[in-house]
Amino acid sequence: MTQYILALDQGTTSSRAILFDHEGKIAGCAAQEFPQHFPQPGWVEHDPNEIWNSQLTVARKVLQDFDVKKVRAIGITNQRETTVVWDRKTGEPIAPAIVWQDRRTADYCEELRAAGKAKMICEATGLELDAYFSATKVKWILDHVPGARERARKGALCFGTIDSWLAWKLCGVHVTDVSNASRTMLFNIHLMRWDSDLLALFDIPEGMLPQVVSSSEEVGVTREALFGHAIPVAGIAGDQQAATFGQACHQPGMVKNTYGTGCFMLMNAGRHPRTSHNRLLSTVGWRVDGETDYMLEGSVFMGGATVQWLRDGLGIIQHSSEVEALAGSVPDSGGVFLVPAFVGLGAPHWDPYARGAIVGLTRGSNKAHIARAAVESIAYQSAELLAAMQKDASMPVTEVRADGGAARNDMLMQFQSDLLGVPVLRPKVTETTALGAAYLAGLAVGFWESQEEIARQWACERRFTPAMGDDQRAQLLAKWKRATERAKAWETPL
């Protein structure tokens, strides 16, 4: 009898539900976009109930053609850092979710930096002091929603990232896994627990925080009314850690890069945190069977979202899928560089005051050159991450495994390989984020026996090898660096 694992992949712009069989193949898939809210410049919000409703809708849609009793478990993977605070009794959010891209707390982060708190935060969490992470977002909600802090102190409020919110709605449990906890800027990755000093620094009551669980263990069962049958929730991981697991990067030195709304490059650093000296993040990958794998990570805020801006902001394409043909209609960018610092710059710059810039324009520049520069910007930013990663790591990188929506763009993948100087491998199953969540859930219930069995399922669909000379690569990267410098510190802190 064929059985399945259901993965709930709650992303920044859409919610997906994917059903996987034992071979790791997709048996069913449904997706639904949900609204993005931009109430002020630099602010990005979601409605938590819209997230939940979209996730429930796609889960029900994908299950309608299957016997729900054949679903062994559910795995959750999610946009990380996005912050939800809700009422413990009613389950209703007290404010919009503050999205990872949101920059409203950048000035507060600068105050903390000036007060000398960045070193303390980095040593405990492995993270840069930045508005990207959850801690300052929780504090902002408690400071700005009337009565919220008092209610939190009385234990009436729950905080969670999106995995916690979904687990609460599915099962009524208040949990998060170690990978998501490590992205809050409140979790000590050495002691593997919430850090009391950081909670005091941000004035966040510990009682509103979720219980931290492993990435692969049963945490509850869904309410029967949701799907007509109670299903165990047995796997949770942040989207980038889940994608790394789904790419079978289980051994130290293996690297994957996800080309989604943002770009996220992760290297398996082994069983101990590795301190970065090049402004990368040291973060928890997953905890399975009592063993924790750590990662080095570089985060690019605007990856595929840059293509969405071409569509929604400039209107030079109607659908994101059109960008490859438009960009490919010219042999190169014509000297145009687009730095997509619309919400600041992530690793290795960490500049919340950078802003988007297009440089190198001439009278001969047209929309195709801008489109190509936009696509190439994704590869340039990722090349910066690998360069920093190779400086931090004592192990050589021999290949990069690519996934995410933009990884389907052959031109981007070839240009990426050219800039990195190493092969880029695209797997047959590109839904590796959902697959990783499914694998974690399946391991917990015995659907798969081991990580070795999972690794054997990984298969390459196409291998892109470098075809660019060293001199040309160096010239392009030097120009990119010049363009980036012009975008940095455009805004100034108050």
Side-chain angles (χ1 to χ4, degrees), residues 411-443:
M411 186 188 76
L412 171 59
M413 292 296 96
Q414 182 58 55
F415 190 68
Q416 184 69 89
S417 178
D418 289 340
L419 286 183
L420 297 180
V422 298
V424 172
L425 279 58
R426 184 170 63 200
K428 287 185 177 179
V429 178
T430 56
E431 296 287 357
T432 54
T433 302
L435 182 59
Y439 280 150
L440 289 165
L443 283 172

Side-chain angles (χ1 to χ4, degrees), residues 68-87:
V68 177
K69 294 180 180 178
K70 293 182 180 179
V71 179
R72 289 281 302 277
I74 291 174
I76 295 172
T77 184
N78 54 284
Q79 53 165 316
R80 305 170 303 171
E81 299 93 19
T82 295
T83 298
V84 186
V85 177
W86 66 92
D87 186 282

Side-chain angles (χ1 to χ4, degrees), residues 118-134:
K119 186 172 185 286
M120 160 200 177
I121 290 170
C122 184
E123 287 178 348
T125 67
L127 306 178
E128 287 281 329
L129 169 55
D130 195 81
Y132 173 35
F133 304 107
S134 309

Side-chain angles (χ1 to χ4, degrees), residues 178 187-194 212 284 287 292 294:
V178 290
F187 187 75
N188 190 308
I189 64 171
H190 307 280
L191 303 176
M192 296 298 283
R193 64 173 183 242
W194 299 118
V212 182
V284 176
R287 186 169 179 82
T292 302
Y294 291 87

